[in-house]
Amino acid sequence: MKVYLNSIQISDAIAFMADDIKKDYENTPITIICILKGAFIFCADLIRHLEMSVQVEFLQVSSYQGTESTGVVTITNMPENLQGKHVLIVEDIVDTGICLKHVIDKLHEQQPASLKVAALVSKPSRRIEKVSVDYVGFEIPDKFIVGYGLDYNQQYRSLPYIGVLED
Ligand code: IMP
Ligand code: MG
């Protein structure tokens, strides 16, 4: 395992993102939607930097097996009653954008007052669906990363850093 982003780089990036978020919402209460499983650690760290009123909801999306997206997206535990709320999706990584596009489309049906996205990592070169990501921790090239919530076949989520698997 090669360290790609160490824990200090990660916590610095999260503090930056939190500052931007605080500035933009100016104390407007928000509803965070944490996308399981990958975003649970990022979300936990991010909300502790926010110092504002947040409600936290969780939903689960899956499409991956190994290092490839299966293309079939399933959403479970969709939160309800989001109409009129300021919703911020918290995602671990945006790759093809297919998962996020599904989540955004589904959430829009509930007519939130606003809908934004915070992602710890983005791989722009991999994008298939056009999705706008409002807050990004790191833009990276096409690499498969693990750790800090991210998995390879459910392994490595507990690493305190982000690493690249060597095969
Ligand atoms: P997308 O639909 O292709 O954008 O995939 C998004 C989801 O795939 C993310 O939320 C992750 O759960 C997973 N994923 C994408 N790239 C990686 C990676 O490099 N490591 C681990 N999981 C990844
Ligand atoms: Mg995910």
Side-chain angles (χ1 to χ4, degrees), residues 79-83 85 110:
E80 284 166 18
N81 306 320
L82 298 172
Q83 184 169 17
K85 301 257 174 80
Q110 294 192 45

Side-chain angles (χ1 to χ4, degrees), residues 33-38 57-63 73-79 91 99 103 154 157:
I33 299 196
C34 173
I35 312 290
L36 297 174
K37 298 174 186 173
E57 303 287 346
F58 299 88
L59 65 75
Q60 182 149 11
V61 185
S62 42
S63 81
V73 181
T74 39
I75 300 180
T76 44
N77 278 325
M78 192 62 167
E91 175 63 303
C99 283
V103 171
Q154 305 302 327
R157 293 193 198 277

